[in-house]
Amino acid sequence: FEEVKAAIAEGRWIADGGMWVEPDTNLAGGEALVRQFLYGRRYFREVLGVESRVAWLPDTFGYSAALPQIIKGFGMTGLTTQKIFWSYNDSEPFPHHAFLWRGLDGTTIPTFLHMFYETPVDAETVHTRPPTWPETSWTRFCAPAPSAGSRW
C-alpha cells in the first residue's frame, strides 16, 4: 500500500473514485449515497492526499437519477462507468461512450463509458479506439479504466 501511496504522490498513479465502496446506486437512498461520497472523499483526502475528481462506478448495478446532483454537489467533475453496456447484450447497443447525463433536478455531469470491462490501458488502445466510437471528440475529464492488461 505504501508503494501505491508513493506512486500517487509522484503522479504515476491516479487515485479517483470518490466513494467509500462501490454501491448499488439504484437501491440505496439519497442519504446513503451522500455518505458514500462523504466518507470516500475524506479517505482519498486524508489517506491518499488527493481530492477525487471523477466518480468511479465500474461495476455497479443500477444508477440513481440523483447521481448527477450528488456528484456535482461534492465538487466532482464527472462520472465513469461501463456496466450500462451489459444491459444491451441482446438488443440495440447503447449509442454513446461520452455524454452529458441530466439528473432528476436538471443537474448535468459529463459521463464516460469506458470501452469494456477489461479494457487495456496502453498508448495504442487509448489513441486508436476512440475514433471508432459514435462521438466525434474524446472526453477530457477522465481516461479509460485500468485493467489487468494495463502496463504501468
Side-chain angles (χ1 to χ4, degrees):
F1 184 67
E2 294 305 317
E3 289 178 26
V4 170
K5 286 174 44 175
I8 292 168
E10 294 165 8
R12 295 183 296 114
W13 188 295
I14 298 170
D16 244 336
M19 299 179 89
W20 183 245
V21 298
E22 182 180 27
D24 176 341
T25 68
N26 201 37
L27 296 176
E31 181 178 346
L33 292 174
V34 167
R35 286 179 186 269
Q36 284 287 343
F37 283 101
L38 179 69
Y39 297 141
R41 288 180 53 81
R42 181 186 304 158
Y43 179 85
F44 275 77
R45 186 173 46 257
E46 293 177 2
V47 176
L48 302 176
V50 297
E51 287 291 337
S52 191
R53 298 173 301 132
V54 177
W56 173 249
L57 291 168
D59 199 30
T60 191
F61 291 90
Y63 297 89
S64 168
L67 277 174
Q69 180 181 11
I70 295 169
I71 291 168
K72 195 169 244 182
F74 275 95
M76 300 176 84
T77 59
L79 166 70
T80 185
T81 186
Q82 64 82 37
K83 199 70 167 214
I84 290 173
F85 291 122
W86 282 29
S87 63
Y88 290 89
N89 289 338
D90 296 321
S91 62
E92 187 72 23
F94 193 78
H96 304 287
H97 281 269
F99 55 92
L100 288 176
W101 180 10
R102 185 180 312 277
L104 275 177
D105 73 335
T107 300
T108 60
I109 57 166
T111 301
F112 178 72
L113 309 180
H114 39 87
M115 298 171 250
F116 304 104
Y117 197 65
E118 298 97 8
T119 298
V121 178
D122 55 65
E124 182 179 355
T125 302
V126 170
H127 292 289
T128 61
R129 184 64 191 230
T132 67
W133 297 344
E135 289 76 26
T136 59
S137 65
W138 179 246
T139 60
R140 295 181 186 200
F141 73 92
C142 63
S147 70
S150 299
R151 303 290 183 258
W152 299 101

